[in-house]
Amino acid sequence: MNETAMTGEDEVRADDDALLRALVEEVPFDGWTRTALRRALARLGRDPDEAELLFEGGAPAMIEAWTALVDRDMEDAAGTIAETRLAARVRALILLRLDRVAPHREAIRRALAILALPRNAALAARITGRTVDAIWHAAGDRSADFSWYTKRAILAAVYSTTLLYWLRDASENGEDTRAFLDRRLAGVALITRTRKRLESRLAGLRRGPMREDPSPSA
């Protein structure tokens, strides 16, 4: 979008996004705190005292806003993925997302420590759910049937465990993370195929054996 086409709301969003990008750079030094927020504002040439008026929910609110920004960035970059199969696009999106946030590993570690607190359980679930929805949407999945809930839960587990593995991964170019993700996705594919075979067999049992029509009487 060019500048002449930007609305006031677009400009506010651009300012907010710039602040979040500056904030995450300060988190490794000061955590998800108002001190980090003040430093981010100063970096952008804004009044540091604005920090007292922003993110009333404190650190959890900052984390939620930043992860929502990462979700949007991922969806915006989905067009760069050449894969056409849904499963391959999901894999590529997860790896793209991790590659893009790689400079912010420490900020993510600190965010996860905060989200792991019992009082933030609902927020953690909401953030994960939003990210999973963004991945499916960016991958091109538009299903709205019951299977959507199943796929959402499965991908949440795959993404969450892969994220935790990635935080500890010291391999070159994240090769170990890629292998870990592939194993998880292969396991999901196997479970899905097995479930479908079982469902097919159960459906056959419910229908019962085929019976021939009796011959007409003479």
Side-chain angles (χ1 to χ4, degrees):
M1 180 179 295
N2 58 49
E3 289 185 7
T4 58
M6 288 183 71
T7 66
E9 184 177 345
D10 293 327
E11 291 175 354
V12 169
R13 167 61 64 82
D15 286 346
D16 290 345
D17 290 353
L19 178 56
L20 289 168
R21 296 186 200 283
L23 171 61
V24 76
E25 297 286 347
E26 301 294 339
V27 170
F29 309 102
D30 296 300
W32 293 91
T33 63
R34 297 213 176 273
T35 298
L37 188 56
R38 291 176 69 87
R39 291 181 181 276
L41 287 163
R43 176 187 289 201
L44 296 175
R46 294 170 58 177
D47 184 354
D49 288 341
E50 286 185 48
E52 304 307 317
L53 306 175
L54 302 171
F55 302 107
E56 292 183 6
M62 297 179 201
I63 294 166
E64 183 172 20
W66 183 72
T67 54
L69 172 60
V70 175
D71 290 339
R72 294 196 301 274
D73 285 346
M74 178 189 65
E75 291 191 84
D76 289 344
T80 65
I81 295 175
E83 300 287 354
T84 56
R85 292 184 302 110
L86 182 62
R89 284 185 64 80
V90 167
R91 175 187 185 273
L93 282 163
I94 292 174
L95 293 176
L96 179 149
R97 184 187 185 89
L98 294 178
D99 286 344
R100 292 206 164 196
V101 298
H104 309 306
R105 268 189 168 90
E106 180 57 29
I108 294 172
R109 286 192 186 94
R110 293 185 180 222
L112 292 179
I114 292 170
L115 295 176
L117 297 174
R119 66 174 179 271
N120 293 326
L123 172 61
R126 184 166 70 246
I127 288 174
T128 300
R130 183 187 293 118
T131 293
V132 168
D133 289 347
I135 292 172
W136 278 125
H137 186 268
D141 184 82
R142 299 293 187 271
S143 61
D145 56 9
F146 182 76
S147 68
W148 178 82
Y149 295 96
T150 302
K151 291 188 294 185
R152 190 176 190 260
I154 290 173
L155 184 55
V158 169
Y159 172 72
S160 297
T161 54
T162 301
L163 178 63
L164 292 174
Y165 188 95
W166 171 80
L167 285 172
R168 302 189 303 270
D169 185 6
S171 65
E172 186 173 357
N173 298 320
E175 290 302 322
D176 287 352
T177 294
R178 284 168 166 73
F180 178 85
L181 175 59
D182 287 342
R183 290 194 298 272
R184 293 303 309 271
L185 292 174
V188 168
L190 177 60
I191 292 171
T192 301
R193 288 195 299 270
T194 302
R195 178 177 58 80
K196 288 182 177 179
R197 285 198 297 268
L198 288 173
E199 288 175 350
S200 179
R201 290 176 184 175
L202 287 172
L205 289 173
R206 293 191 190 100
R207 288 194 298 269
M210 296 290 291
R211 296 182 179 179
E212 295 182 1
D213 292 336
S215 300
S217 56

